[in-house]
Amino acid sequence: AEAATAAAAPIALSVADIERVLGPPRFEPRRDVARRITKPGIALGLAATVFGGETLFVEVEQVAGKGAVQMTGNIKEVMQESVKAALTWIRANVAELGLAKTASEALLNTTDLHIHFPEGATPKDGPSAGVTITTALTSLLTGRLVRNDVAMTGEITLRGLVLPVGGIKEKVVAAHRAGVRTVLLPQANEKDLRELPQKVLDEMQFELVSDVREVIRAALVPADVTEAEAAGSASGDGSEPATDDGRQVPLSHPLPSVPTGVP
């Protein structure tokens, strides 16, 4: 009887015990996101696939050239059109973005842009990467980092309107799985939040946007924060980095939560 009781007793395993049996974690999603967004020109988007939601990095770099645009990462026609729409909006709004006339002329005539979507073995398409592409481009051209605790989805028009997209449940769950707790969504997708599991809703913040300018304001860190000051955020531990003089850098300004108590 004692042997049966002992066999039925629950066994408590610690994280160390599990790692000893299975090995260390292969992926640390939150730290991976923080490590990858460490310089201007990188933003985190979200995608829906037949297998569920996925995070989607967009990387942009500029080199001397003649105004050409190169796109890599196995992207299909619809996503290429999103790139073109984002570029047109930026070129039409250089003054509003704070780019000097010389910078805008360089963008049009003497700078080549390379827009890359990592994991090129995976085909990518769909009309939901416009806000992410625009944010990454704006980040690069203005020299402002994108917040590493924010993911986004939504398409844009040439006038900067943010259009609704599909797969919201899958995309938000993917952001949650990656340790990202703030998601920028099209205003018209608010109704889709009721499809999310309550556990996810309780741990997430959403900012609903209708114009790409709102996305840029929410996604980019303050203009006076340098790359060196922001480097401390790459730890992914949720703490804010400090400058040499001890000043805390507010990388994560508070965003209003969307009420989740929908009937």
Side-chain angles (χ1 to χ4, degrees), residues 125-184:
D125 204 6
S128 63
V131 296
T132 314
I133 297 167
T134 306
T135 300
L137 284 164
T138 302
S139 168
L140 177 74
L141 297 173
T142 60
R144 294 172 61 187
L145 283 164
V146 178
R147 290 173 49 186
N148 64 33
D149 60 347
V150 170
M152 62 197 77
T153 185
E155 191 51 281
I156 67 164
T157 70
L158 294 181
R159 302 298 182 187
L161 299 179
V162 177
L163 303 180
V165 294
I168 295 301
K169 176 182 178 182
E170 293 79 6
K171 292 173 180 178
V172 173
V173 169
H176 182 270
R177 187 170 62 244
V180 176
R181 292 297 182 260
T182 300
V183 177
L184 310 182

Side-chain angles (χ1 to χ4, degrees), residues 93-152:
N93 293 274
V94 289
E96 184 177 347
L97 294 173
L99 299 175
K101 182 178 179 180
T102 53
S104 62
E105 290 174 348
L107 170 63
L108 291 171
N109 302 315
T110 63
T111 298
D112 286 356
L113 291 174
H114 186 160
I115 303 170
H116 180 59
F117 300 80
E119 300 180 14
T122 304
K124 307 172 187 69
D125 204 6
S128 63
V131 296
T132 314
I133 297 167
T134 306
T135 300
L137 284 164
T138 302
S139 168
L140 177 74
L141 297 173
T142 60
R144 294 172 61 187
L145 283 164
V146 178
R147 290 173 49 186
N148 64 33
D149 60 347
V150 170
M152 62 197 77

